[in-house]
Amino acid sequence: MSDKPPLLTRIWRFYRDGFREMTTGKSLWTLIIIKLVLIFVVMKLLFFPNLLKRDYDDDDSRADAVRSSLLDDRR
Amino acid sequence: MNDLINVVDWSRAQFALTAMFHWLFVPLTLGLSVIVAVMESAYVRTGSAKWLALTKFWMKLFGINFAIGVATGIILEFEFGTNWSNYSWFVGDIFGAPLAIEGLLAFFMEATFIAVMFFGWGKVSKRFHLTATWLTAFGATISSAWILIANAWMQYPVGMEFDPAQMRNIMDDFWAVALSPVAIHKFFHAVFSGWTLAGVFVISVSCWFYLRKRNEAMALRSIKVGGWIGLAGIVGTLWSGDGSAVDVARVQPMKLAAMEGLYHGGRGADLIAVGVLNPSKEYDDEQEPFLFETKLPNMLSLLATHDLNGYVPGINDLIDGISIDENGDTVKTVSYAERIAIGKQSHEALRAYDKARAANDTAAMDKAAADLKATFQYFGYGYLDSPSDAIPPVGLTFYSFHIMVLAGGYLLLFIIVYLTIAYKKSSWLTNRWWQWIGIISLVIVYVCSQAGWVTDEVGRQPWIIEGLMPTRAAISFISSGMVQLTFWLFAAIFTGLLAAEISIMLKAIANGSKSDYDSLPDSPSAETQSPTQSTKS
């Protein structure tokens, strides 16, 4: 009988060992995590809402809003 | 109105900043992934420890570049939802479908196989590892294709029909969108320019090895591989650039006229090799467009029509309605003044549709929809006040195009010269002049790459979607103060990220230059990829 661990365990160990053995990768991952937090938490939540999704409940009212915006004389 | 223009300008500046920052990383990822795959193929074929060391060194630099660049493109999508909400709704699934495919492909192909590339040394077979490396290169290239298809559609909107009820363009021919000539040439131009940039990057880093008198044999072999990929890249860039020029002449002739500072066109048009624009020139005055210029006779006609005597319209000709059709023949089309009038009729039709819809008058809705369909081709012109509003910024378009072309010509020469030196006169690489030219050329290739995008994006102004939507109609009604705040926030974050990347990259390059490459065997060895060998990444 084979003592080979199940596939999922082997995949988990593959990634775990890979991360553990990194040298340059550690600074990179720190940087990536800082970047992702800045992008997805700070920027997305605080500064970049999807205006049409936020301000209107359904696609019909979003279409109406865009139509009225495109026909606005200020443009 | 002033605040709207401020919002448009700041949003465009913000988008340009984000896109240009993103584009620092993408071409190097596209090209370096291929160079690494070629090196690893040589390792698998020969079993040489030297090829393995070379592969791992350049793979590490690829990893650093990929890691810093990843997710920077996502910010562009945030900007669509906030700053460009009209645009992001108006394009509908035409933009959404390619981006969704790109997201899935990028996740499954790149994320999976990059993990094998970096963590799989000694844990998977050589051939499996090599397959993962090639699939990473392939995945990155395919990912870029979808973004470029979406961009090409904005420059040449095809394969869709506008639905006034949904206020969206509905894709009715996926293949017309995916395989439009603009998309195909744009894809190859971007990918091959990435190979060129990566080839020059490898030569430049290798020249630094020579400058520091470290691992010169490793540097020489790198120059040979990087040089060949760079040469294939620059030849492919020239070929696809030629195709793009013909596309621009046919579907965005105003952009071509701005690229050349051409106000009055004609047959046998000359190409400006080098020139200084007259800054006070307006399209409707009789001033000379150039303070100084050197021309290549008939070359613009050849470039645009593949015929030395082909007709190329200038800015004034286009405004008067003279252009070339898809077969390259001279045709009288609709003048810009007429386009503006038709565009305003198109707006009226949409307004009538809106009123009929509110009144639930089906017959009036059908009539308005039919009127809209008949005039929709010029819908965007309805926002313009005069024909001059349809002229892109000539100065920025002209100079960025010529910087790209001149730098591209230099890079072709540079790569040929360094390849020749590497094979025939490698002792020259110990000369400081050759080393410094190699190092400085890295700046030139990045300037060339960025100038290409500036030409493409500034040259299509005022349109965000050619003929259908100008930037001023695409923008959301938000405050310019908020956009300015986020612009400076991005500028600070991007500068910090770039400094961090350069610092990590320089450290990795310095470490690579100190490795014991010379002592490694160049013949097949059973121990070249044993699990005990260093697998750190």
Side-chain angles (χ1 to χ4, degrees), chain A residues 27-40:
Chain A
S27 330
L28 271 180
W29 275 104
T30 311
L31 207 60
I32 289 169
I33 290 165
I34 292 171
K35 179 176 70 175
L36 292 178
V37 168
L38 282 172
I39 290 175
F40 288 103

Side-chain angles (χ1 to χ4, degrees), chain B residues 412-489:
Chain B
L412 173 66
L413 190 67
F414 169 82
I415 292 169
I416 290 172
V417 167
Y418 275 74
L419 256 183
T420 309
I421 289 174
Y423 281 99
K424 303 285 184 190
K425 292 277 181 191
S426 61
S427 60
W428 287 13
L429 290 165
T430 55
N431 178 298
R432 289 203 154 227
W433 279 101
W434 289 112
Q435 293 161 2
W436 276 112
I437 291 170
I439 293 166
I440 290 167
S441 294
L442 185 61
V443 177
I444 296 175
V445 76
Y446 272 100
V447 168
C448 182
S449 179
Q450 296 283 346
W453 274 112
V454 171
T455 305
D456 203 29
E457 299 301 303
V458 174
R460 70 162 141 138
Q461 294 304 315
W463 307 113
I464 193 164
I465 306 170
E466 185 75 24
L468 300 182
M469 180 175 260
T471 48
R472 64 201 255 192
I475 204 79
S476 314
F477 284 127
I478 51 177
S479 86
S480 63
M482 181 56 88
V483 187
Q484 287 181 49
L485 174 70
T486 48
F487 174 89
W488 293 114
L489 187 69

Side-chain angles (χ1 to χ4, degrees), chain B residues 159-475:
Chain B
M160 85 298 180
E161 185 158 349
F162 180 68
D163 177 3
Q166 297 183 55
M167 281 305 289
R168 287 186 136 160
N169 284 285
I170 309 298
M171 183 158 51
D172 59 11
D173 186 348
F174 173 79
W175 296 111
V177 176
L179 298 180
S180 86
V182 177
I184 290 171
H185 287 128
K186 190 179 281 288
F187 166 71
F188 283 112
H189 202 56
V191 171
F192 283 132
S193 74
W195 290 22
T196 308
L197 186 139
V200 175
F201 174 81
V202 168
I203 294 172
S204 297
V205 171
S206 302
C207 283
W208 184 81
F209 277 34
Y210 269 100
L211 185 72
R212 304 304 299 259
K213 297 184 172 53
R214 293 175 189 163
N215 272 341
E216 292 179 357
M218 180 177 167
L220 184 61
R221 191 173 274 188
S222 297
I223 291 174
K224 289 176 180 173
V225 179
W228 280 114
I229 301 294
L231 186 62
I234 193 87
V235 170
T237 307
L238 289 171
W239 162 76
S240 52
D242 173 67
S244 288
V246 174
D247 292 339
V248 170
R250 291 177 185 175
V251 305
Q252 294 176 297
M254 185 61 90
K255 181 195 275 187
L256 183 70
M259 283 158 66
E260 276 297 296
L262 183 71
Y263 287 84
H264 296 281
R267 293 194 173 276
D270 302 335
L271 185 76
I272 305 294
V274 183
V276 177
L277 289 165
N278 178 353
S280 61
K281 168 73 182 164
E282 298 288 339
Y283 90 96
D284 53 356
D285 65 23
E286 293 306 315
Q287 292 188 72
E288 285 298 316
F290 289 94
L291 299 176
F292 155 81
E293 84 269 35
T294 306
K295 294 177 177 176
L296 300 173
N298 295 63
M299 283 299 118
L300 180 58
S301 284
L302 183 67
L303 186 76
T305 65
H306 287 173
D307 175 354
L308 282 168
N309 241 345
Y311 178 79
V312 182
I315 290 169
N316 291 66
D317 306 311
L318 291 162
I319 284 177
D320 292 341
I322 302 165
S323 188
I324 53 176
D325 67 10
E326 294 206 344
N327 300 316
D329 296 325
T330 311
V331 288
K332 178 83 176 82
T333 64
V334 183
S335 75
Y336 277 42
E338 290 170 294
R339 291 180 193 208
I340 290 171
I342 298 170
K344 292 192 187 301
Q345 287 171 22
S346 199
H347 290 201
E348 283 312 311
L350 182 61
R351 209 166 261 124
Y353 180 89
D354 194 28
K355 279 183 188 161
R357 194 161 172 267
N360 211 13
D361 181 346
T362 314
M365 276 168 69
D366 289 346
K367 184 186 178 308
D371 290 346
L372 184 61
K373 190 174 179 180
T375 54
F376 188 69
Q377 183 184 0
Y378 299 119
F379 184 83
Y381 286 87
Y383 293 101
L384 308 185
D385 298 321
S386 79
S388 63
D389 289 351
I391 303 172
V394 175
L396 191 50
T397 311
F398 172 85
Y399 288 118
S400 56
F401 173 62
H402 284 78
I403 287 170
M404 178 190 75
V405 171
L406 291 173
Y410 166 80
L411 292 169
L412 173 66
L413 190 67
F414 169 82
I415 292 169
I416 290 172
V417 167
Y418 275 74
L419 256 183
T420 309
I421 289 174
Y423 281 99
K424 303 285 184 190
K425 292 277 181 191
S426 61
S427 60
W428 287 13
L429 290 165
T430 55
N431 178 298
R432 289 203 154 227
W433 279 101
W434 289 112
Q435 293 161 2
W436 276 112
I437 291 170
I439 293 166
I440 290 167
S441 294
L442 185 61
V443 177
I444 296 175
V445 76
Y446 272 100
V447 168
C448 182
S449 179
Q450 296 283 346
W453 274 112
V454 171
T455 305
D456 203 29
E457 299 301 303
V458 174
R460 70 162 141 138
Q461 294 304 315
W463 307 113
I464 193 164
I465 306 170
E466 185 75 24
L468 300 182
M469 180 175 260
T471 48
R472 64 201 255 192
I475 204 79

Side-chain angles (χ1 to χ4, degrees), chain A residues 53-71:
Chain A
K53 272 193 184 160
R54 185 193 67 183
D55 297 342
Y56 302 95
D57 295 329
D58 54 56
D59 281 355
D60 281 344
S61 45
R62 288 179 193 119
D64 288 342
V66 171
R67 191 182 301 108
S68 125
S69 174
L70 286 181
L71 294 173

Side-chain angles (χ1 to χ4, degrees), chain B residues 76-99:
Chain B
L76 297 169
E77 291 187 39
F78 296 170
E79 291 170 30
F80 285 140
T82 304
N83 302 25
W84 307 98
S85 60
N86 283 349
Y87 160 81
S88 61
W89 184 265
F90 191 77
V91 295
D93 57 350
I94 294 168
F95 224 79
L99 291 186

